[in-house]
Amino acid sequence: MLVLGIDPGTAICGYGLVEMRGNHLKAIHYGAVITSPKSKPQDRLLKIHTEIDTLIKEYQPDIMGVEQLFFNRNITTAIPVGQARGAVLLTAAANNLEVVERTPLQVKQAVVGYGKATKEQVIYMVEKLLNLPKKPHPDDVADALAVAICTTHCVNNIVWRNKL
């Protein structure tokens, strides 16, 4: 099973493709869509859509995991992140790709074993679980890989396998 994990963001949209064979996880490809703050909002969203669409067409993942929006007090940040999530979800729908959404707490629980883990703990576990040569950079890429790992755990049951 090949999972595309996404950590949505307008400035940096992290992505990670993780393959699961049996109980072995392997990072296939990962990186980030980076947009310029000088670009128009619609151009930033189009870039996210276009690059994620290209990844889907090239790698043909079985499912996409997307981190749910964590709404905190900073509404200025929440709105653009929500827009980036919308662009990603639309891209998945256009490619007929099933989506699993998980909260940051669920992702941390699946990867670290503790829902309130620090960013450093998540990065460390992602690096170890996927046997990466170095820490993924920027942090959004590690988060996307963590979403992909969490998604493999979520879909690795009979109900999800039958859906796929």
Side-chain angles (χ1 to χ4, degrees):
M1 171 176 45
L2 183 61
V3 175
L4 172 59
I6 302 286
D7 179 36
T10 304
I12 302 171
C13 182
Y15 62 83
L17 285 141
V18 172
E19 182 181 58
M20 182 172 178
R21 288 186 187 239
N23 62 357
H24 179 74
L25 296 173
K26 179 181 178 184
I28 302 300
H29 181 68
Y30 50 93
V33 179
I34 299 173
T35 66
S36 169
K38 295 177 184 176
S39 296
K40 296 179 202 170
Q42 63 269 30
D43 293 337
R44 295 175 90 180
L45 295 173
L46 179 60
K47 182 175 183 185
I48 291 166
H49 162 74
T50 303
E51 291 194 28
I52 299 299
D53 187 62
T54 299
L55 282 172
I56 293 169
K57 285 179 174 32
E58 182 177 346
Y59 289 94
Q60 297 290 308
D62 298 301
I63 194 161
M64 177 190 284
V66 180
E67 190 169 74
Q68 286 182 343
L69 180 61
F70 176 72
F71 185 75
N72 57 19
R73 295 181 193 163
N74 190 350
I75 195 160
T76 307
T77 303
I79 290 173
V81 171
Q83 291 172 336
R85 265 186 103 252
V88 167
L89 294 174
L90 176 65
T91 306
N95 284 280
N96 213 20
L97 187 58
E98 191 74 37
V99 174
V100 172
E101 298 179 58
R102 288 291 175 255
T103 66
L105 186 111
Q106 290 170 316
V107 172
K108 291 175 182 179
Q109 178 70 37
V111 174
V112 179
Y114 176 59
K116 295 188 179 182
T118 65
K119 183 153 301 272
E120 292 77 24
Q121 289 171 315
V122 172
I123 293 168
Y124 176 82
M125 286 305 296
V126 164
E127 186 181 2
K128 297 307 173 199
L129 288 169
L130 297 174
N131 197 27
L132 300 177
K134 61 182 182 175
K135 293 178 184 177
H137 185 75
D139 293 350
D140 310 78
V141 176
D143 290 343
L145 288 165
V147 170
I149 292 167
C150 177
T151 303
T152 65
H153 295 316
C154 155
V155 301
N156 193 22
N157 66 51
I158 195 79
V159 174
W160 273 99
R161 277 185 273 165
N162 288 340
K163 283 182 95 173
L164 297 174

